[in-house]
Amino acid sequence: MDPTKAPCGCLTTVYRDYDFLQRWVNYYSVQFDRQHLYIISQGNDPQHREIARGCNVIGIPRDGSLYRHERRMGNILSNFCAGLLRYYNWMIVGTVDEIVVLDPEQGESVESYLHRYETGAPGMEGGVPETLTPFGIELLPQAPVAAGDRHADEPVIQHQHKFRIDPVLSKPCLVRKQVKSFEAASEPSLEAGFMDPHLYLLHLRYCDEALFMARLKARESEPRAADDEIEFKKITEMLQVPSQGKVLEGDADLNVLRKDAENRGVFCLPTRFSGLY
């Protein structure tokens, strides 16, 4: 790593989503000091600044028409990230409802783990990869928890949380060079990245009913909110159907699943990930 730069920073964008922002800050402020967390607040929301005290909060206007919204946000994230890379060796860029985690068997700190790339990627010919692609998994809702019944500091991921995989969920969101665009941080780039064997991108939008419903209420005036509600209903209905050859008991073998990312089953997240979010 370049000793004149900080090891790693984190960048996200948020519109309302106060519960998700609180958990994003809680998670990454343990991984990195708050001074290395950057939050683009759509609408320059004062509540974002309150939640993220000590972080770098940048307010921008919010266009209610959402005209070319994904492209606008993608360009902002790409250009802002490029500027930050003049001061950071690596940047993590993602939505406020997802986090990059290191397999607990490999340690607790993503920052410390990145030092393994100082001379190149283990098991990969060539120099240090310019982008890393964590293996993306989508956590599914557990039994409903009423809003307010769980404290903001209490982990959502407890015991054997169910999840599914989808190839599009794995994306190069840990970068050390400028990428062309981050499509609202949900489609960071079409540029391929090196898939690290121990890093995971946890997609959390549907992981908890109370969190999801709070998000939905905050966005109920937007047309895409209806699509999210439909998707959440499909997921909950799917989980009510008895298993048909799906692995629903015991810790999933994530290394096997990484090699077969087309597998559409439902699995149990290994218990060693409990408490990370």
Side-chain angles (χ1 to χ4, degrees), residues 109-180:
S109 170
V110 173
E111 177 182 316
S112 297
Y113 180 78
L114 289 174
H115 285 282
R116 78 193 310 244
Y117 287 105
E118 289 180 347
T119 57
M124 173 183 175
E125 295 183 4
V128 181
E130 295 180 324
T131 61
L132 296 179
T133 300
F135 183 49
I137 59 181
E138 182 169 59
L139 270 66
L140 305 176
Q142 297 288 76
V145 177
D149 284 358
R150 181 191 290 115
H151 190 271
D153 292 330
E154 182 183 352
V156 170
I157 302 176
Q158 300 185 56
H159 312 298
Q160 290 188 312
H161 211 110
K162 295 181 178 63
F163 73 92
R164 64 181 179 181
I165 58 176
D166 189 318
V168 301
L169 301 181
S170 298
K171 53 194 182 182
C173 60
L174 212 165
V175 304
R176 68 180 191 91
K177 70 154 193 174
Q178 182 175 10
V179 297
K180 292 179 181 178

Side-chain angles (χ1 to χ4, degrees), residues 32-269:
F32 313 96
D33 191 273
R34 288 189 176 217
Q35 66 178 315
H36 301 305
L37 307 185
Y38 295 82
I39 299 155
I40 298 178
S41 170
Q42 299 177 44
N44 200 12
D45 192 328
Q47 196 164 338
H48 292 160
R49 297 183 182 278
E50 178 65 23
I51 292 170
R53 276 186 288 180
C55 304
N56 304 281
V57 181
I58 303 95
I60 63 171
R62 170 77 173 185
D63 177 14
S65 72
L66 299 182
Y67 174 70
R68 301 181 72 180
H69 178 72
E70 300 292 326
R71 180 170 297 181
R72 287 181 178 183
M73 292 308 306
N75 289 336
I76 288 174
L77 290 168
S78 175
N79 291 320
F80 191 48
C81 178
L84 289 172
L85 284 170
R86 295 180 179 272
Y87 298 94
Y88 290 92
N89 283 277
W90 293 93
M91 285 297 300
I92 296 173
V93 184
T95 57
V96 75
D97 55 6
E98 64 187 16
I99 56 173
V100 173
V101 303
L102 174 66
D103 190 321
E105 289 186 337
Q106 301 297 317
E108 299 179 353
S109 170
V110 173
E111 177 182 316
S112 297
Y113 180 78
L114 289 174
H115 285 282
R116 78 193 310 244
Y117 287 105
E118 289 180 347
T119 57
M124 173 183 175
E125 295 183 4
V128 181
E130 295 180 324
T131 61
L132 296 179
T133 300
F135 183 49
I137 59 181
E138 182 169 59
L139 270 66
L140 305 176
Q142 297 288 76
V145 177
D149 284 358
R150 181 191 290 115
H151 190 271
D153 292 330
E154 182 183 352
V156 170
I157 302 176
Q158 300 185 56
H159 312 298
Q160 290 188 312
H161 211 110
K162 295 181 178 63
F163 73 92
R164 64 181 179 181
I165 58 176
D166 189 318
V168 301
L169 301 181
S170 298
K171 53 194 182 182
C173 60
L174 212 165
V175 304
R176 68 180 191 91
K177 70 154 193 174
Q178 182 175 10
V179 297
K180 292 179 181 178
S181 177
F182 290 89
E183 292 289 335
S186 61
E187 297 287 347
S189 170
L190 295 179
E191 302 169 51
F194 175 73
M195 182 170 283
D196 184 277
H198 304 300
L199 292 176
Y200 296 87
L201 184 63
L202 302 187
H203 294 249
L204 304 153
R205 180 174 303 180
Y206 304 116
C207 75
D208 178 82
E209 184 168 355
L211 283 175
F212 174 78
M213 295 308 295
R215 184 180 201 268
L216 190 66
K217 184 177 181 180
R219 293 168 174 260
E220 59 186 357
S221 61
E222 297 185 351
R224 294 175 191 170
D227 294 336
D228 263 357
E229 186 173 17
I230 291 171
E231 180 64 18
F232 185 79
K233 184 178 180 181
K234 287 180 180 179
I235 291 172
T236 53
E237 290 176 348
M238 174 194 69
L239 292 174
Q240 293 171 4
V241 177
S243 172
Q244 296 180 349
K246 298 177 181 179
V247 180
L248 291 177
E249 297 181 0
D251 291 354
D253 189 329
L254 296 176
N255 290 322
V256 171
L257 292 178
R258 187 184 291 105
K259 298 174 183 177
D260 183 20
E262 298 292 337
N263 195 314
R264 302 292 178 164
V266 175
F267 307 92
C268 286
L269 191 68

